[in-house]
Amino acid sequence: MKRWTYMFLCLFFIVGCNAKTQLDELTLALTVGLDESQNGKLLVYSISPVFNKESENIYEVIRTSGVTTRDGRSKANAFASGKIVGGKVQNVIVSKTFAETHDMFSYLDVFYRDPKNSITANFIVFDGPLKKLMYIHLKDKPRLSVAIRDVILTAHTSKQTTKANMLLFHRLALDRAQTPFAPMLKVHKGDLVAGGIALFNEQRKYVGSLSQTESPYFSILQKNIKPSTFLTLAIKGLTKQKEYISISVEHGDFSYKPSFRNGTFHFDAHMRLGVVMTESTTYIDMKKEKKKLEKLLAKEIQKQLELVVKKLQTYEVDPIGFGLYARAYEYKQFQKQKSWAKAFAKAEINIHPTVEIISYGVLQ
Amino acid sequence: MMNSIQQTLTHSLDMNEQTLRDYFTKTPDLVYCHLLIGEPKKRALLVYLNTLVDKNSINNNIIDPLLFETKQINTIVDIQLPIGAKSYSTKWEHVIQRIFQGETALLLDGDDHVLLLDTQGWPQRAIAEPQIESSLKGSHQGFIETCEKNIALIRRYLPHQQLKIEETTVGRRGHTSVALLYLEDVTHPEVLQELKDRIEQIDVDTVVNTGELMQHIEDNPFSPFPQFLLTERPDAAVSNLLQGRIVIIVDRSPSVMIGPMTFITFFQTVDDYSTRWMIASFLRLLRLLAFFMAIFLPSAYIATLSFHYEIIPLNLLLTVGESRERVPIPPLLEAVLMELAIEMLREAGLRLPAPIGQTVGIVGGVVIGQAAVEAGIVSNIMVVIVSLTAIASFIIPNPDMSESIRLLRFPMMIIASLFGLVGMAIGLMLIIGHLISLESLGTPEGSPFAPARLRDWKDTILRFPLWMMRTRPLSARPTQLTRQKKFRK
């Protein structure tokens, strides 16, 4: 018995070594970009860091064309100084035009199927040809992949856009009651700008987008308020002219009530928002006019939210997940719908926000 | 050798002296002092080893009274001397052994009895502060090389009749005296008997040091972990005595051995009990963290860089990548080189006299620090890891345990370079498996974790307030559990 144990141990140590992935011998693809060339071919970009101090660039961009994403990467191995691996992918970027014409799943499949690839990468839609982003020259920024990630994350925290990693995109695309969305990125005057939200339909194709100013309202509808959502609202009614008031929404109570009447879905979305006033362009006597101001703010917020919902309905997408409520409360009717997105487009959605000013600053 | 001379003394002083001279050849430090004592004068012989006796005591307490003796001396029993410890013997073997232990033999003409007088006085060091285990709040007295003094130090803490001392000797040539100290009403008799049996079986020339005795009697000689505690501190010894453990004092060695021990006790110090419990608990957590860091940090570096680059956060990965870029050797070699360098530095500094030892530290610090990185041999991160590991291994209070851990690091690095984190997990499992199967004097070393004894966890990873620890730990199988009464809520 003992001899067998020793023999087993010896054999045991012969195994191993072939699964090694030495960090020094790898080219880490931190960003993968997908685009279409003018003659309809798939272009695969990959950005990886270069650690050699003698080289001028701190990252390299490899562009290949291929039939599929993995095919493109295999070809890229001919250029790269080490084996390309996707275990640390931070961003997967597709161009808007590419996303408009192609089902995303057929190109993202390799990320989901191959467990060596990271599925926590951010999924991003780029407004414009990817060439513009990939060969951008950022002087005062870190490596491009890190810069893209940081820009998206910062914009997401301040609710200028949203955030969707590959896993979330996958879940939303497969859920009958929801449609996927992704943050938008563009290059403006040689700078990276993140803002707006790309909307995908049930066929995983890009159909339209919400602007940067609509993004915070999208967040509120998503009940995603923390840490705080900043809004600047134009209101009329306190004084004669138009006034601008900036608020930061600190917390909110939501209740979305679905019902099915006369062949359409109805949603009553009630929300109580606790806000802090951070700026006002006019003098307001808060002691007297707080209640009135709260009502005016609520009205303006309601207007904006309804605009966002309308836009979503015209695109026939439901990234917020009203479908989840419909499925939970009106299951039979939900199941009868062939396409939830179509039903959502016809649904009647009433939004009733109430605003409570919990603080109006240290002035007065 | 004893067979060549006679077994017992004769009545003739000349014959006895001849026997001694035959036996002690080439022993220039043996003094034969002929005296005429009593009225009428009778021949007597004083024999002692000049190097092992207290000369003042011999001159003042033996020779002086004997010279002025006016009584008639017929037999050796008639001699009265102002020395407390004395004995009579007729056996040569006994007499010679006593002479070697620094006693003085007084032979009288016409008597076959020898008077053996306790005049021991060999060179010994004063009681000083322990060097290896220094303490902030504990006593500053450490054990020295004399068994009696060490027993005295312990007795000062435990003036109680239940503190029993059993003396025995080990070694054919050395006759090293070994004393077992224990509390009779607490220590389990089986454990004590086991220890006694093991000591009895030792058949060697001599044991020079406590560490040697430890290796002769430990349960598993193939384990990297110590199974007995060696300490220089009397307060540590007493605290263990009170837990039902046995203290073994080896004459001529400044550290005493304590058994049976548990694994976790090697991470505890006497200071833990004299600081407030929250601070002591924090320090214990720190030591446990250091234990894991000292074993696993270099191997984790190797595993992540060779297999699992995915688990490093991106920003750290970029830093590591930049730092590794110029290094021409694989992570395993890099880590082993640096670890060996630091072990060499440590060993070099240990053996050198203090003034040169500092130079080694500085030179080594420069070599394994910035210079190696600038030369592009190792990466910055590796230097950080090696230093952290070294510091972590120094935090562990027991030097034996610290050394075991430093050794274990190397197989862990190899297994990590072969199998990555899976290998590390296997290594950890092997270590844990080994630890819980380890025994110390037949009691489980993994106690109180395996076998789990929840009540004893009060004094393990955390140190609960003293008034909550009302029972002695079960690991040493004490026969009397109550340590203190409930006197505080």
Side-chain angles (χ1 to χ4, degrees):
Chain A
M1 188 58 215
K2 216 166 196 180
R3 197 168 35 158
W4 285 109
T5 320
Y6 286 128
M7 273 178 75
F8 172 74
L9 277 179
C10 291
L11 289 174
F12 183 68
F13 277 99
I14 299 169
V15 205
C17 301
N18 57 5
K20 253 186 190 172
T21 48
Q22 294 274 9
L23 181 64
D24 321 22
E25 296 155 11
L26 301 178
T27 296
L28 303 165
L30 295 186
T31 299
V32 175
L34 301 173
D35 200 357
E36 201 178 25
S37 71
Q38 276 165 353
N39 50 18
K41 261 193 158 178
L42 172 71
L43 290 177
V44 180
Y45 293 87
S46 82
I47 311 179
S48 32
V50 173
F51 295 122
N52 199 329
K53 287 202 179 79
E54 284 149 29
S55 75
E56 213 172 277
N57 291 324
I58 49 173
Y59 63 88
E60 58 177 340
V61 181
I62 300 174
R63 186 178 69 172
T64 49
S65 63
V67 201
T68 65
T69 317
R70 174 48 62 92
D71 182 42
R73 195 179 95 181
S74 307
K75 284 178 182 160
N77 268 328
F79 297 84
S81 44
K83 188 182 154 214
I84 299 180
V85 287
K88 279 309 263 193
V89 177
Q90 301 295 303
N91 315 297
V92 175
I93 309 177
V94 294
S95 78
K96 198 168 92 178
T97 45
F98 180 71
E100 254 170 337
T101 47
H102 294 82
D103 177 1
M104 281 299 97
F105 261 16
S106 29
Y107 295 93
L108 300 181
D109 186 74
V110 65
F111 290 96
Y112 300 122
R113 199 173 295 278
D114 184 352
K116 280 182 182 159
N117 286 329
S118 165
I119 46 165
T120 50
N122 288 317
F123 184 68
I124 300 164
V125 173
F126 182 71
D127 194 357
L130 264 191
K131 203 164 60 179
K132 230 168 124 188
L133 170 70
M134 292 295 164
Y135 298 106
I136 193 174
H137 194 67
L138 296 171
K139 264 189 183 162
D140 48 354
K141 287 265 166 65
R143 289 186 170 89
L144 183 58
S145 313
V146 182
I148 292 173
R149 185 195 65 178
D150 292 351
V151 161
I152 294 283
L153 283 187
T154 316
H156 166 67
T157 341
S158 59
K159 306 291 187 299
Q160 299 305 302
T161 181
T162 183
K163 193 180 79 170
N165 66 24
M166 300 284 289
L167 191 64
L168 180 69
F169 187 83
H170 190 255
R171 183 172 71 73
L172 294 180
L174 289 184
D175 195 340
R176 271 193 65 209
Q178 256 179 307
T179 57
F181 56 87
M184 293 275 281
L185 184 72
K186 62 180 178 233
V187 173
H188 181 68
K189 288 182 184 165
D191 245 332
L192 292 177
V193 183
I197 294 155
L199 305 167
F200 288 79
N201 64 11
E202 285 177 322
Q203 284 73 44
R204 279 93 51 185
K205 282 183 184 168
Y206 173 89
V207 284
S209 64
L210 296 177
S211 71
Q212 193 172 336
T213 46
E214 287 164 332
S215 295
Y217 297 102
F218 179 78
S219 295
I220 291 175
L221 282 171
Q222 272 189 319
K223 308 180 185 176
N224 171 24
I225 285 172
K226 301 276 168 190
S228 53
T229 307
F230 293 98
L231 303 172
T232 298
L233 301 164
I235 55 162
K236 246 191 217 168
L238 274 183
T239 52
K240 298 284 177 298
Q241 74 267 45
K242 208 168 162 189
E243 300 293 349
Y244 288 101
I245 290 187
S246 299
I247 54 170
S248 98
V249 184
E250 299 292 329
H251 61 80
D253 292 331
F254 296 86
S255 96
Y256 292 177
K257 287 224 172 73
S259 56
F260 188 79
R261 294 193 300 270
N262 311 328
T264 49
F265 283 94
H266 293 251
F267 289 94
D268 282 311
H270 290 271
M271 48 187 83
R272 271 214 336 263
L273 304 173
V275 306
V276 170
M277 230 174 96
T278 51
E279 187 189 37
S280 160
T281 51
T282 182
Y283 173 78
I284 304 167
D285 187 355
M286 289 304 292
K287 273 178 193 151
K288 283 182 191 161
E289 302 190 278
K290 192 172 165 200
K291 284 276 174 293
K292 195 176 170 193
L293 181 65
E294 280 175 353
K295 273 197 187 119
L296 283 171
L297 288 174
K299 208 175 152 198
E300 181 62 22
I301 289 174
Q302 183 186 10
K303 199 175 106 195
Q304 297 292 341
L305 291 176
E306 275 168 355
L307 277 175
V308 170
V309 170
K310 198 97 240 147
K311 205 167 177 182
L312 297 178
Q313 284 182 315
T314 47
Y315 287 133
E316 295 189 348
V317 290
D318 180 16
I320 289 158
F322 281 105
L324 299 173
Y325 293 92
R327 185 166 60 188
Y329 291 100
E330 296 287 345
Y331 184 67
K332 271 186 194 158
Q333 296 303 329
F334 178 84
Q335 285 298 79
K336 277 184 197 160
Q337 307 300 324
K338 255 192 199 140
S339 149
W340 165 249
K342 291 243 158 54
F344 173 70
K346 279 183 237 144
E348 198 183 315
I349 295 160
N350 300 308
I351 299 165
H352 313 285
T354 51
V355 169
E356 186 195 348
I357 297 176
I358 46 181
S359 155
Y360 43 88
V362 287
L363 286 172
Q364 289 175 348
Chain B
M1 208 190 289
M2 293 306 294
N3 296 336
S4 62
I5 60 171
Q6 287 153 308
Q7 295 287 313
T8 51
L9 283 89
T10 60
H11 288 271
S12 155
L13 184 63
D14 292 325
M15 269 181 74
N16 286 342
E17 185 181 346
Q18 196 51 49
T19 316
L20 274 173
R21 284 192 190 273
D22 287 345
Y23 185 75
F24 287 102
T25 53
K26 292 186 184 165
T27 315
D29 55 344
L30 191 75
V31 175
Y32 299 91
C33 176
H34 291 277
L35 298 163
L36 289 170
I37 55 172
E39 211 58 55
K41 296 287 181 201
K42 202 162 188 186
R43 282 199 305 140
L45 178 63
L46 208 58
V47 182
Y48 56 89
L49 273 170
N50 202 11
T51 41
L52 289 181
V53 295
D54 179 9
K55 281 169 199 155
N56 280 334
S57 171
I58 289 185
N59 291 340
N60 298 336
N61 300 342
I62 301 173
I63 300 178
D64 190 54
L66 284 179
L67 285 178
F68 295 99
E69 182 67 75
T70 50
K71 274 198 308 183
Q72 185 181 0
I73 305 291
N74 290 324
T75 60
I76 196 106
V77 190
D78 296 336
I79 299 174
Q80 296 297 320
L81 289 172
I83 279 188
K86 58 182 178 183
S87 59
Y88 299 95
S89 179
T90 56
K91 284 204 179 103
W92 276 120
E93 185 186 351
H94 193 212
V95 171
I96 285 163
Q97 194 189 325
R98 287 304 181 88
I99 289 174
F100 273 126
Q101 284 172 4
E103 296 197 3
T104 302
L106 182 62
L107 292 82
L108 194 68
D109 194 20
D111 198 328
D112 63 347
H113 278 71
V114 182
L115 176 59
L116 293 164
L117 299 153
D118 184 10
T119 51
Q120 291 163 341
W122 46 76
Q124 62 182 353
R125 158 170 90 91
I127 288 173
E129 184 156 7
Q131 287 289 309
I132 309 167
E133 303 161 79
S134 48
S135 144
L136 294 176
K137 293 186 173 175
S139 89
H140 296 283
Q141 287 185 324
F143 286 124
I144 59 161
E145 286 80 357
T146 313
C147 187
E148 287 100 85
K149 287 275 165 69
N150 291 348
I151 292 175
L153 284 174
I154 290 178
R155 270 229 197 273
R156 292 255 298 132
Y157 283 94
L158 278 177
H160 194 264
Q161 78 276 13
Q162 290 292 352
L163 176 67
K164 305 290 177 189
I165 302 169
E166 285 187 38
E167 283 200 358
T168 170
T169 56
V170 170
R172 281 158 174 257
R173 284 175 193 269
H175 296 289
T176 313
S177 70
V178 172
L180 309 183
L181 277 74
Y182 57 92
L183 289 175
E184 194 169 38
D185 56 343
V186 178
T187 307
H188 198 280
E190 270 179 35
V191 178
L192 182 66
Q193 194 53 47
E194 174 75 29
L195 178 63
K196 278 195 224 161
D197 290 348
R198 287 188 196 181
I199 291 176
E200 219 163 80
Q201 281 169 14
I202 300 174
D203 187 6
V204 287
D205 269 354
T206 182
V207 279
V208 174
N209 224 321
T210 318
E212 278 186 23
L213 182 75
M214 181 179 82
Q215 290 175 62
H216 288 310
I217 63 171
E218 67 189 354
D219 295 62
N220 186 351
F222 295 104
S223 168
F225 294 109
Q227 293 140 49
F228 287 95
L229 179 75
L230 292 183
T231 183
E232 285 187 302
R233 303 193 57 85
D235 43 6
V238 168
S239 138
N240 279 302
L241 270 178
L242 288 168
Q243 294 179 15
R245 306 185 201 280
I246 305 160
V247 169
I248 301 123
I249 299 178
V250 177
D251 196 17
R252 305 180 298 226
S253 177
S255 49
V256 307
M257 184 166 82
I258 301 168
M261 294 311 285
T262 61
F263 176 71
I264 199 76
T265 40
F266 291 96
F267 294 87
Q268 303 169 350
T269 66
V270 187
D271 271 350
D272 288 359
Y273 300 97
S274 39
T275 40
R276 296 175 58 247
W277 71 272
M278 280 188 255
I279 293 141
S281 300
F282 168 68
L283 289 176
R284 285 197 175 170
L285 288 174
L286 205 66
R287 286 178 206 139
L288 222 59
L289 178 72
F291 167 71
F292 284 107
M293 266 174 69
I295 294 188
F296 292 113
L297 200 58
S299 39
Y301 172 81
I302 294 169
T304 45
L305 255 64
S306 314
F307 290 94
H308 321 283
Y309 69 91
E310 293 103 331
I311 65 166
I312 315 174
L314 180 69
N315 292 346
L316 181 59
L317 187 68
L318 294 176
T319 318
V320 173
E322 272 166 17
S323 152
R324 277 279 308 165
E325 181 267 320
R326 259 172 13 117
V327 181
I329 46 177
L332 171 68
L333 207 57
E334 189 190 6
V336 169
L337 266 178
M338 292 300 279
E339 289 293 345
L340 281 181
I342 208 152
E343 290 299 309
M344 281 181 192
L345 269 175
R346 204 193 79 93
E347 196 62 17
L350 202 66
R351 304 275 169 252
L352 281 172
I356 313 174
Q358 279 185 348
T359 325
V360 170
I362 293 164
V363 172
V366 171
V367 169
I368 66 165
Q370 214 48 42
V373 174
E374 270 168 26
I377 301 168
V378 293
S379 61
N380 277 319
I381 309 281
M382 191 66 234
V383 173
V384 174
I385 284 174
V386 168
S387 339
L388 269 179
T389 317
I391 290 169
S393 69
F394 293 145
I395 287 177
I396 290 151
N398 184 276
D400 288 328
M401 185 53 81
S402 161
E403 272 155 22
S404 321
I405 287 165
R406 294 214 319 269
L407 184 69
L408 279 178
R409 179 148 91 212
F410 290 95
M412 286 307 298
M413 286 195 275
I414 293 168
I415 202 170
S417 82
L418 288 177
F419 305 107
L421 286 181
V422 179
M424 282 174 67
I426 292 171
L428 178 65
M429 275 171 4
L430 285 177
I431 290 175
I432 291 176
H434 172 70
L435 270 177
I436 60 179
S437 68
L438 208 56
E439 288 190 342
S440 171
L441 278 180
T443 63
E445 179 142 348
S447 172
F449 300 109
R453 289 155 175 164
L454 275 180
R455 196 192 277 174
D456 291 355
W457 286 24
K458 285 176 188 169
D459 188 19
T460 50
I461 298 170
L462 299 180
R463 204 221 78 197
F464 279 43
L466 288 177
W467 45 269
M468 287 174 77
M469 295 193 259
R470 288 199 296 272
T471 55
R472 301 180 209 278
L474 282 167
S475 60
R477 299 172 63 196
T479 48
Q480 189 229 55
L481 268 179
T482 320
R483 175 147 51 180
Q484 62 201 21
K485 288 268 161 20
K486 188 173 185 175
F487 59 92
R488 187 178 167 172
K489 275 171 195 167

